Amino acid sequence: MRSASTLFDMSDLVISQLDGLGVTYEVVDCDPDLADTAQFCEAYGYAMDNSANAIVVVGKSDPPVFAMCLVLADSRLDVNKVVRKRLGVRKCSFASAEQTVDMTGMQIGGVTPFGTTKALDLWIDSRVMERENLIIGGGSRDRKLLVPPSTLAAHPRAEVVEGLAKVVEAT
């Protein structure tokens, strides 16, 4: 388990990777208590469909296999069909908070595809690529990143996946 100070240092790795890729991004500071997507969007005036969540998934195999998925906040990741098939396993699920920290060095609410402690495949739902700009995690709960889809596509392990997530209909 990493210490809290190690978790907050992840933002430096995030910025280093982004700068190394030469991509466009803007750091958006936020209150760590408002880092979860719905609260952040409401408090800072961003639309849920212009916000994307980075979700670590785990395939139940020996050894377990991991990947990161990036889906719009108004969507639900298709874990049981699309993700399971892509991982090549019979069962899979969302990674636990502890597994997410282990794989990324980041706490839930700050997870981003950039600067992770372990190399993870990045599967991006195709709807993400249709947006002009997106709010994503920034490596810690006190910041987000505003990025165009081209920044996400520049990730060295990125792959755009059609139908990775389904829109959640408002009730």
Side-chain angles (χ1 to χ4, degrees), residues 10-78:
M10 290 310 299
S11 57
D12 294 335
L13 292 174
V14 170
I15 299 305
S16 291
Q17 185 178 17
L18 289 164
D19 288 346
L21 291 170
V23 294
T24 301
Y25 69 93
E26 178 183 333
V27 175
V28 177
D29 293 326
C30 73
D31 179 337
D33 291 333
L34 299 173
D36 294 325
T37 305
Q39 290 110 340
F40 176 86
C41 288
E42 184 176 334
Y44 293 96
Y46 289 92
M48 291 285 282
D49 64 352
N50 285 324
S51 179
N53 291 322
I55 303 165
V56 178
V57 293
V58 57
K60 311 283 178 135
S61 60
D62 189 17
V65 291
F66 293 87
M68 182 178 289
C69 301
L70 194 71
V71 301
L72 294 176
D74 69 349
S75 302
R76 181 174 297 128
L77 182 62
D78 188 349

Side-chain angles (χ1 to χ4, degrees), residues 88-131:
V89 295
R90 292 173 45 116
K91 292 184 179 184
C92 69
S93 64
F94 298 106
S96 68
E98 184 176 295
Q99 289 172 315
T100 298
V101 169
D102 184 51
M103 297 305 294
T104 66
M106 303 169 209
Q107 293 177 316
I108 304 293
V111 178
T112 189
F114 301 98
T116 59
T117 52
K118 297 192 173 124
L120 292 168
D121 288 338
L122 173 61
W123 300 332
I124 305 169
D125 183 63
S126 58
R127 290 181 54 241
V128 169
M129 303 307 287
E130 297 169 1
R131 299 303 186 261

